[in-house]
Amino acid sequence: MYGGEILDGEKINQRLESVSITVQEMIMSIDSAVRRQEACVRLYGVSSFASMLAMKRGEKHELPAIAGLLHHYYYYQTGIKEFLGPNSAEAVRPLLRDMNIFAKEEQIIILQAIFHHADRSRTHGPIEETVKDACVLHLYYQNTGRNLTQQDALRLHKVFQELQIPGYVSEESHSSDNEEMRKISDPDRHSKLADIAQVLAGESIIGVPGNERYREICSYWPDRDIYKVLQNSWCAAFVYHCCRLAGFLLPIRYPNGICRFAGVGAWLEWAKLPETGFYYEDGLSGFTPQRGDIVIYEKLLSDKSHDHIGIVLACGDNEIWVAEGNRDNRNFSSILYRDRWSSILGYIRIDNSYKFNFSDSYNPVI
């Protein structure tokens, strides 16, 4: 529907075609011909399976087909594999909104299907499950070894039974789980964050597209004009980049959060969540800043709250030594001393064992 209007078949096809054009523009921007081909096969393949399954189940096929087209949008745009569902949902959220051809309720349905498509351990709504099943079908038919995880194999067996397709699906063993647990329990991640920040900030990164380090900092954010968006405003993006390199992995926006982690407010909101509890104020409950903490400043550069952010390298009685991107909004990174008792809101100390896990309801901001 357009703002409540019932759509006929022609308008439905026009909407699907509009999304397809957006996807094609993204695919054509990929440098590698191999990855362009992979993106076409994957996105259009999952979309076709989702459409077919929806029709078989007596559901309207348009929204599942659109969710299938967009489910890995972020990955093919950036090459970043982590958080395939949450990051793709966040990347396409403004695109769907700005097309102005979907009602708010439809946007939410599409985004929820994208967000949950990789979470096959839980059961969600009918469209989410249709897209998940479409992903598994595509993995099976495009994987020459036809090996799936146990979870996906069980799901595929059910889909085969539903479609009355005989078939044998082999399961692959995963040895990466132990490696992942080893990484998240690494006691050095906190100090590694400071080491990385110190090296990068010491390179005097300049916030212009010609600077390789600045391009790396911008690489996570899907905005087409991201270099201009972040120019003179990339202190939080610098922290996000350092955290990722240190092994503290987060999606580009915490689900239902006020903004992306390219903004200081997102870090403050996330650190104060009941499930994290990473926010501290100096001196309260015996807290003293340490190397590897994240510092959030208060009206340091403006009259606005939490207007700057950096990473603590050392703490003295009256000063902290910090690594910052976009020092003083002057568009370059730096290592410097700041007054410990002035213009500081608080600190974030990420637990070394932290691993992103979101089990609440996803309610995207439209």
Side-chain angles (χ1 to χ4, degrees):
M1 57 177 61
Y2 290 84
E5 175 190 358
I6 302 299
L7 295 177
D8 57 26
E10 182 178 355
K11 286 183 178 178
I12 286 177
N13 289 334
Q14 289 176 0
R15 299 204 302 179
L16 186 57
E17 179 65 19
S18 296
V19 174
S20 178
I21 290 172
T22 297
V23 170
Q24 274 302 125
E25 289 175 349
M26 180 275 292
I27 291 174
M28 294 306 296
S29 70
I30 299 173
D31 293 335
S32 166
V34 173
R35 289 194 66 241
R36 286 198 298 270
Q37 181 180 20
E38 177 192 334
C40 282
V41 172
R42 171 81 188 190
L43 299 180
Y44 284 95
V46 171
S47 178
S48 296
F49 277 125
S51 183
M52 179 270 292
L53 286 172
M55 296 177 70
K56 172 68 171 60
R57 294 167 180 176
E59 303 165 358
K60 295 181 179 179
H61 69 91
E62 182 199 21
L63 298 188
I66 289 171
L69 262 180
L70 296 170
H71 79 290
H72 270 196
Y73 187 95
Y74 179 83
Y75 166 63
Y76 288 116
Q77 185 183 26
T78 66
I80 297 170
K81 295 182 178 180
E82 291 87 6
F83 312 117
L84 294 173
N87 280 348
S88 282
E90 174 58 22
V92 305
R93 178 186 57 80
L95 299 180
L96 293 175
R97 179 197 62 208
D98 294 344
M99 284 182 180
N100 201 31
I101 57 177
F102 297 101
K104 180 178 179 180
E105 294 77 11
E106 292 175 313
Q107 295 177 55
I108 291 174
I109 289 170
I110 294 169
L111 293 173
Q112 287 176 336
I114 296 170
F115 184 93
H116 292 300
H117 84 266
D119 183 4
R120 300 200 267 273
S121 63
R122 295 188 297 162
T123 301
H124 296 91
I127 292 183
E128 289 101 318
E129 293 303 302
T130 293
V131 174
K132 292 179 192 180
D133 290 341
C135 289
V136 172
L137 277 172
H138 184 269
L139 283 173
Y140 178 75
Y141 284 109
Q142 290 297 321
N143 181 357
T144 55
R146 295 192 173 182
N147 293 323
L148 300 173
T149 64
Q150 182 181 35
Q151 194 174 75
D152 282 353
L154 290 173
R155 179 179 286 270
L156 188 61
H157 278 303
K158 293 180 180 179
V159 176
F160 276 175
Q161 289 177 350
E162 176 188 357
L163 300 176
Q164 298 182 347
I165 298 175
Y168 169 77
V169 185
S170 60
E171 301 168 7
E172 64 181 10
S173 61
H174 282 272
S175 60
S176 60
D177 290 344
N178 290 335
E179 176 66 14
E180 181 67 18
M181 288 303 297
R182 185 193 68 78
K183 288 181 180 178
I184 67 173
S185 61
D186 185 350
D188 293 326
R189 284 205 300 171
H190 200 249
S191 60
K192 186 184 297 184
L193 174 59
D195 293 343
I196 291 169
Q198 184 171 351
V199 170
L200 290 180
E203 293 183 5
S204 297
I205 301 167
I206 302 174
V208 294
N211 187 284
E212 180 181 1
R213 295 300 190 203
Y214 183 64
R215 293 199 302 272
E216 291 172 357
I217 291 168
C218 293
S219 65
Y220 310 103
W221 315 105
D223 313 71
R224 292 182 179 178
D225 57 347
I226 190 59
Y227 299 132
K228 292 183 180 179
V229 170
L230 289 183
Q231 193 170 37
N232 293 316
S233 184
W234 47 280
C235 58
F238 173 81
V239 171
Y240 182 86
H241 179 57
C242 293
C243 282
R244 279 189 54 91
L245 295 179
F248 292 122
L249 303 182
L250 288 163
I252 57 174
R253 179 174 183 160
Y254 196 83
N256 307 329
I258 59 172
C259 64
R260 294 173 177 174
F261 281 105
V264 180
W267 287 98
L268 183 61
E269 181 186 40
W270 168 74
K272 288 184 173 182
L273 290 172
E275 57 264 38
T276 56
F278 296 154
Y279 178 74
Y280 302 89
E281 293 183 15
D282 200 351
L284 292 184
S285 302
F287 178 85
T288 301
Q290 295 179 0
R291 182 175 174 84
D293 289 342
I294 298 169
V295 56
I296 296 180
Y297 300 104
E298 176 71 359
K299 299 182 179 180
L300 175 70
L301 307 175
S302 68
D303 59 355
K304 297 179 181 179
S305 181
H306 53 267
D307 61 343
H308 198 51
I309 193 169
I311 296 175
V312 177
L313 303 180
C315 177
D317 292 338
N318 297 307
E319 292 180 317
I320 54 172
W321 192 37
V322 291
E324 297 178 1
N326 192 38
R327 173 181 176 173
D328 298 329
N329 290 344
R330 292 161 59 189
N331 213 33
F332 64 90
S333 68
S334 182
I335 298 173
L336 67 154
Y337 286 95
R338 296 281 192 193
D339 188 336
R340 180 177 167 185
W341 306 111
S342 175
S343 300
I344 292 180
L345 182 65
Y347 298 85
I348 298 172
R349 180 172 295 168
I350 307 175
D351 191 279
N352 274 310
S353 62
Y354 177 76
K355 182 180 180 182
F356 171 79
N357 179 43
F358 182 80
S359 57
D360 294 336
S361 298
Y362 171 58
N363 300 302
V365 178
I366 303 300

